[in-house]
Amino acid sequence: MSENVINDIVNWLESQLQRNEGIKIDTIANKSGYSKWHLQRIFKQLKGCTLGECVRKRRLLEAARLLREDKFSILDIALQYGFSSQATFTRIFKKHFNTTPAKFRQNGQLPDFNQFMD
């Protein structure tokens, strides 16, 4: 599997996130033509995180962008990006951004995506 295949998958993931469509590992594996186990192993080797981690981080980054716009409630944003509750979203958001969504909304700076992926 080449890095081009992985980059194509990352680009496809981005388009799915922009359309706010559900993303499942099985769907990604079918798209790539590889088994999900092989795909995940190679993806982690090349990108440094699993597919699931990458998708979760991208969802968090998109949610953070919406928080800065202040148009939607935190619950609406959490649900829009696939979190089961505001409490779950807050816990995961705080783990990654070291602040709550409410505090981030007040004064947060969006990280560079590449830096965020580390």
Side-chain angles (χ1 to χ4, degrees):
M1 180 183 306
S2 72
E3 194 166 340
N4 290 337
V5 171
I6 298 298
N7 289 333
D8 288 345
I9 289 169
V10 169
N11 290 335
W12 181 80
L13 288 171
E14 288 294 322
S15 71
Q16 300 299 14
L17 283 168
Q18 295 303 318
R19 290 192 294 245
N20 205 20
E21 294 185 13
I23 300 170
K24 299 200 181 305
I25 301 291
D26 290 331
T27 304
I28 300 168
N30 288 338
K31 180 177 175 18
S32 73
Y34 294 95
S35 74
K36 66 181 179 180
W37 310 114
H38 183 67
L39 175 64
Q40 290 185 87
R41 185 176 59 79
I42 298 301
F43 190 93
K44 183 168 183 161
Q45 185 178 30
L46 292 174
K47 294 295 181 184
C49 64
T50 67
L51 274 165
E53 290 168 338
C54 178
V55 169
R56 190 174 315 106
K57 287 178 179 183
R58 284 297 292 127
R59 284 183 175 153
L60 283 169
L61 193 58
E62 290 302 316
R65 286 191 178 121
L66 276 184
L67 285 167
R68 295 294 295 161
E69 293 177 12
D70 199 24
K71 295 179 185 176
F72 304 99
S73 72
I74 293 172
L75 176 60
D76 288 342
I77 293 170
L79 296 175
Q80 180 177 343
Y81 284 99
F83 296 93
S84 60
S85 69
Q86 183 172 335
T88 299
F89 174 63
T90 297
R91 180 175 37 80
I92 294 170
F93 191 94
K94 187 173 183 178
K95 179 180 176 185
H96 288 279
F97 289 105
N98 296 318
T99 188
T100 65
K103 287 180 183 174
F104 179 87
R105 174 171 266 171
Q106 293 172 353
N107 56 13
Q109 295 289 323
L110 286 173
D112 173 60
F113 177 65
N114 292 325
Q115 179 185 14
F116 182 63
M117 291 303 292
D118 294 333

